[in-house]
Amino acid sequence: MLNKEMLVVDVVEKFPCTEEVFKKYEEKAGNCIMCSHLFNTLEAVSRDYGLDLEQFMQDLEQSIKKGERVIF
Amino acid sequence: MERIVDARGLSCPQPVILTKKVMDEDDGSLEIITIVNQQAALENVSKLAANQGYQYEVEEKDGDFYIRMKKAQGEGTGVKEGKNIAVLVKSRLFGEGEEELGGILMKSFLYTLTEMKGDIKHIIFMNSGVFLTCAGSPVLEHLKALAEEGVEILSCGTCLDFYNLKDKLEVGSITNMYAAVEILTSAEKSLTI
C-alpha cells in the first residue's frame, strides 16, 4: 500500500486519514511534518526526525486499513 | 479562466491538496490563484507549482499571499518570461579525463549557470555530484548564488547517505529519485552533466 519512497504529499492526498498519524508524530518530531517535509519521502522524514521507519509506516498503514475513504 | 483557491486559515497540507486538485483539472487554460496567510503554506504551494511545471508569482496584500500560477507552455504564451530548465549533475567532475580539468570545468559550468538568470529552475545532484553541495566543495559560492536567485538545489538523499555526507550538506535540500524524475520529465529542457 505504502512504500518508503512515497512523498508525504502523495500519502495524505491519497489517504487523507493519515493526516492524523502525521500529526501524532509531530510530537515526536517536534515540528510540523506536513509543513516542513511535505515534498519529502517517508524515509527522509524518519531519517531527519530520528523516527522508527518501520513503526511509522505500520502506523500509517494501520490508519488506512481502518477503512477511511481513499481519494484518487 | 481564473480559479481561486482560498486557503487562508487552513493548515498544511490542505492548501497544497486543494491547489493540486485544481491543477489536476487544468488543461493549461487556467490561471490558478491560491490565497494563503501562512509562510509554510506559501512555501509549499510555491514548491508544488514548480514541481508541477507552473510559472508562478507571489503578491502580498494585507498579510495574505496571492500565488498566481499558470502552466508553463513554452514561448509565446504570455506566461512569465524564463524557461524551465532542469540540470542533472551526476558527478563531481565535468566530463571524463584528467581530474583537475574536470574540477575546473565544473566550476566554470556552475559559474556560467549563475549568469543564466531565470532560466534554470532546478539543479539535481546525484552520485558523486553531491560532494559539490557539501562542506569543502569548491563551488559552494556559485551554488549559494544560484539558490539566492531562486534555483532549487537538490541533493540525492541516498547518495548523501552512501558517501556519509548527510550532516555536511551546505546548500539546498535533500531529494529522492521519485521527485528528481518528476522534475526532469516536467522541465521544458533538461541537461545531464
Side-chain angles (χ1 to χ4, degrees):
Chain A
M1 201 178 310
L2 297 179
N3 68 67
K4 62 184 184 179
E5 287 291 310
M6 287 180 79
L7 303 183
V8 173
V9 65
D10 293 331
V11 176
V12 289
E13 188 190 10
K14 285 179 181 163
F15 309 108
C17 54
T18 58
E19 270 190 49
E20 289 308 312
V21 180
F22 286 111
K23 281 180 185 160
K24 190 185 94 182
Y25 270 88
E26 280 171 13
E27 291 169 20
K28 288 183 185 175
N31 198 2
C32 170
I33 293 172
M34 289 180 292
C35 299
S36 62
H37 279 62
L38 196 56
F39 294 93
N40 289 85
T41 62
L42 299 177
E43 185 180 32
V45 170
S46 80
R47 185 184 57 224
D48 291 354
Y49 291 118
L51 307 175
D52 178 338
L53 177 61
E54 201 176 322
Q55 184 63 51
F56 183 36
M57 290 191 56
Q58 262 180 27
D59 287 351
L60 289 167
E61 295 208 335
Q62 208 168 17
S63 82
I64 296 166
K65 282 178 189 164
K66 277 184 183 168
E68 294 285 340
R69 192 163 59 96
V70 178
I71 296 174
F72 287 100
Chain B
M1 201 182 2
E2 207 174 81
R3 285 282 292 275
I4 294 174
V5 178
D6 190 347
R8 283 174 287 191
L10 298 180
S11 58
C12 289
Q14 290 311 317
V16 166
I17 302 290
L18 295 175
T19 304
K20 192 163 182 298
K21 276 184 184 163
V22 178
M23 285 178 172
D24 289 342
E25 295 167 18
D26 183 16
D27 59 1
S29 63
L30 293 180
E31 182 182 32
I32 305 169
I33 303 170
T34 297
I35 314 169
V36 297
N37 56 1
Q38 293 173 40
Q39 191 67 32
L42 167 65
E43 287 171 13
N44 281 329
V45 174
S46 301
K47 211 177 264 188
L48 173 74
N51 286 351
Q52 298 288 318
Y54 280 74
Q55 304 278 8
Y56 66 93
E57 286 173 349
V58 179
E59 188 184 349
E60 188 180 357
K61 277 187 209 166
D62 303 325
D64 296 331
F65 299 103
Y66 289 70
I67 310 160
R68 291 177 178 274
M69 294 163 278
K70 178 85 180 147
K71 190 120 187 145
Q73 292 173 332
E75 293 172 5
T77 60
V79 176
K80 187 184 168 189
E81 75 283 353
K83 295 172 187 166
N84 174 10
I85 300 175
V87 180
L88 172 64
V89 179
K90 56 183 189 175
S91 168
R92 65 189 177 86
L93 302 175
F94 191 107
E96 294 174 11
E98 289 297 322
E99 185 171 333
E100 186 183 351
L101 178 60
I104 292 168
L105 292 176
M106 182 59 81
K107 200 169 179 178
S108 171
F109 173 72
L110 291 170
Y111 170 74
T112 306
L113 291 188
T114 65
E115 299 297 300
M116 296 179 67
K117 296 189 192 311
D119 286 343
I120 308 293
K121 301 295 181 203
H122 301 90
I123 308 178
I124 303 166
F125 294 86
M126 291 272 176
N127 210 316
S128 67
V130 297
F131 280 93
L132 298 170
T133 58
C134 292
S137 158
V139 297
L140 279 180
E141 179 193 345
H142 302 328
L143 294 181
K144 284 178 178 172
L146 286 161
E148 279 172 19
E149 288 288 331
V151 178
E152 196 167 9
I153 309 289
L154 299 162
S155 296
C156 155
T158 306
C159 311
L160 289 168
D161 277 341
F162 184 87
Y163 290 116
N164 218 8
L165 288 170
K166 203 182 81 183
D167 298 335
K168 295 180 179 168
L169 187 66
E170 287 275 326
V171 59
S173 56
I174 298 173
T175 190
N176 58 79
M177 193 60 82
Y178 180 98
V181 169
E182 198 162 86
I183 289 167
L184 290 166
T185 54
S186 63
E188 278 179 56
K189 287 182 185 172
S190 61
L191 305 173
T192 300
I193 306 301

